[in-house]
Amino acid sequence: MGPPPSASGRRDAQRNATRVLDAASTIVGRCGAKALTMDAVADQAGVGKGTVFRRFGNRAGLMAALVDHIERDLQERFMTGPPPLGPGAPPLDRLLAFGAARLEIVAAQGPLMIEIGDVGRRFDVPAHTLALTHVRLLLRALEVDGDVELLASALMAPLDPALVALQRERGMSLERLVAGWHDLVRRVVRVR
Amino acid sequence: MGPPPSASGRRDAQRNATRVLDAASTIVGRCGAKALTMDAVADQAGVGKGTVFRRFGNRAGLMAALVDHIERDLQERFMTGPPPLGPGAPPLDRLLAFGAARLEIVAAQGPLMIEIGDVGRRFDVPAHTLALTHVRLLLRALEVDGDVELLASALMAPLDPALVALQRERGMSLERLVAGWHDLVRRVVRVR
């Protein structure tokens, strides 16, 4: 065990970690999840391979951290970001913006989210639970009647990365998926 | 290679296979997917272990055949069975009956369906495609406006075995899930 890291040492480590995750995100967006290797990410981030291994352990650790990083970014946007996704816009606008933002992320990062997703557990992760709560609160703000917990779940279900990946493979555009989700929301909240 | 089996030999083999699959279904329903072993299923079906191995190869082969068996049974019921699930009932009644029947199967056989489900491919299997087509045709029969393909997909998504398993773990009853799906259908087709 070495001495505890200094405050500036911790800041450097945090900055490096963010740099590595941004680099990982770029690689996956450009070349797909399979192209994400420890070597490629160290190169892209301009840090030593040792830094990547020390921080993330192995490729699986890096991928899990990347998905967490992507989810946190969306969380910040819908919890504290600018409207219509963040607070300040009417609840229906926020709900419509949420699905569009999530579909955009899933369309770009879906293969990665699928690769790390544990089939039996993918609905039981903090990020999913937080998103579900967000949708439920918006439905309540809209004074939707009925079993709001299940309606929120029904609205989240079509945003599943594996489903979206297949729909995209079959030639459905992101625009069409967003329009379809928006139509679903309007039906569920019973507005035209 | 032996001589080709006689017609009565083939009938016996088919009867044995059905017996094994019914036994497998009973074991999973009673004791869960983990209890499904080649030994247990041979015992329960009252056939030799060799018969099970010859027909299904290994445990994975048996599980895949069992899910196929369960899906086919539902397919027969909604394609040619008695109303309201089968032909003859009004389309809305058929749609409501379909979700209830599928939720019942998923609630009973979910862990098995999850265990054999390939995470990235679970929406890309013939059984899922057939069910999706069925829902789409019923939505068309109901003269639902909009992107019927995506609406059908949105109605199928909450019937996902992994999602239903988690909801049941969290204490949601099958009755509640069925009522929630029925409410979703009524909103999607815009009836009260």
Side-chain angles (χ1 to χ4, degrees):
Chain A
M1 303 259 289
S6 64
S8 73
R10 278 198 305 273
R11 270 199 307 274
D12 282 356
Q14 189 50 51
R15 200 159 39 224
N16 273 340
T18 305
R19 224 152 111 185
V20 169
L21 291 172
D22 286 338
S25 177
T26 303
I27 292 170
V28 172
R30 262 188 219 152
C31 315
K34 285 197 179 26
L36 185 65
T37 62
M38 301 301 261
D39 278 321
V41 87
D43 264 12
Q44 173 79 28
V47 302
K49 216 174 133 176
T51 304
V52 182
F53 273 99
R54 264 195 310 280
R55 177 76 188 206
F56 300 103
N58 55 26
R59 182 171 180 267
L62 176 64
M63 291 205 300
L66 177 54
V67 170
D68 191 59
H69 179 67
I70 297 163
E71 297 273 14
R72 267 170 206 272
D73 182 62
L74 176 61
Q75 283 164 21
E76 273 178 35
R77 287 165 62 205
F78 72 66
M79 287 170 69
T80 59
L85 192 54
L92 180 59
D93 293 352
R94 292 189 69 195
L95 192 52
L96 298 175
F98 170 77
R102 187 157 176 97
L103 278 170
E104 205 176 304
I105 287 167
V106 166
Q109 309 283 356
L112 181 80
M113 296 165 104
I114 292 166
E115 200 178 324
I116 80 139
D118 173 4
V119 55
R121 300 280 74 177
R122 71 187 181 285
F123 299 107
D124 192 17
V125 292
H128 189 269
T129 306
L130 189 61
L132 191 64
T133 302
H134 178 61
V135 170
R136 200 173 64 225
L137 292 175
L138 292 176
L139 292 178
R140 288 214 191 284
L142 285 161
E143 301 183 350
V144 168
D145 61 317
D147 192 331
V148 169
E149 199 173 347
L150 281 182
L151 288 173
S153 189
L155 287 179
M156 283 299 293
L159 307 180
D160 183 274
L163 177 58
V164 171
L166 181 70
Q167 289 172 325
R168 304 255 302 153
E169 253 178 65
R170 297 212 169 137
M172 295 189 190
S173 68
L174 180 58
E175 292 67 36
R176 181 174 169 194
L177 295 180
V178 171
W181 198 80
H182 283 179
D183 178 41
L184 179 67
V185 166
R186 292 201 179 87
R187 288 171 199 258
V188 163
V189 308
R190 298 195 192 276
V191 294
R192 290 270 169 183
Chain B
M1 301 261 288
S6 64
S8 72
R10 277 198 305 275
R11 268 199 308 275
D12 282 355
Q14 189 50 52
R15 200 159 39 224
N16 273 340
T18 305
R19 227 154 107 184
V20 169
L21 290 173
D22 286 338
S25 178
T26 303
I27 291 170
V28 172
R30 263 188 219 151
C31 314
K34 286 196 178 26
L36 186 66
T37 62
M38 301 300 261
D39 278 321
V41 86
D43 264 14
Q44 174 78 26
V47 303
K49 215 173 134 177
T51 303
V52 183
F53 273 99
R54 264 196 308 281
R55 179 75 188 206
F56 300 102
N58 54 26
R59 181 169 180 270
L62 175 64
M63 291 205 301
L66 177 54
V67 170
D68 190 61
H69 180 67
I70 297 163
E71 297 272 14
R72 266 169 207 272
D73 181 62
L74 177 61
Q75 284 164 20
E76 273 178 36
R77 287 166 61 205
F78 73 65
M79 287 170 68
T80 59
L85 194 53
L92 181 58
D93 293 352
R94 291 190 69 195
L95 192 51
L96 298 175
F98 169 76
R102 187 157 176 97
L103 278 171
E104 204 176 304
I105 288 167
V106 166
Q109 309 283 358
L112 181 81
M113 296 164 102
I114 292 167
E115 200 178 326
I116 80 138
D118 173 4
V119 56
R121 301 279 75 179
R122 70 189 182 285
F123 299 105
D124 193 18
V125 293
H128 189 269
T129 306
L130 189 60
L132 191 63
T133 303
H134 178 62
V135 170
R136 200 173 64 225
L137 292 176
L138 291 176
L139 291 178
R140 288 215 190 282
L142 284 161
E143 299 182 351
V144 168
D145 60 318
D147 192 330
V148 170
E149 199 173 347
L150 281 182
L151 289 173
S153 190
L155 287 179
M156 283 299 292
L159 308 181
D160 183 273
L163 178 58
V164 171
L166 181 68
Q167 290 172 325
R168 305 256 301 152
E169 254 178 62
R170 299 213 167 136
M172 296 188 190
S173 69
L174 179 58
E175 292 66 36
R176 181 174 169 193
L177 295 179
V178 171
W181 198 80
H182 283 180
D183 178 41
L184 180 68
V185 166
R186 291 201 180 90
R187 289 170 198 258
V188 164
V189 308
R190 299 194 191 274
V191 294
R192 291 271 167 181

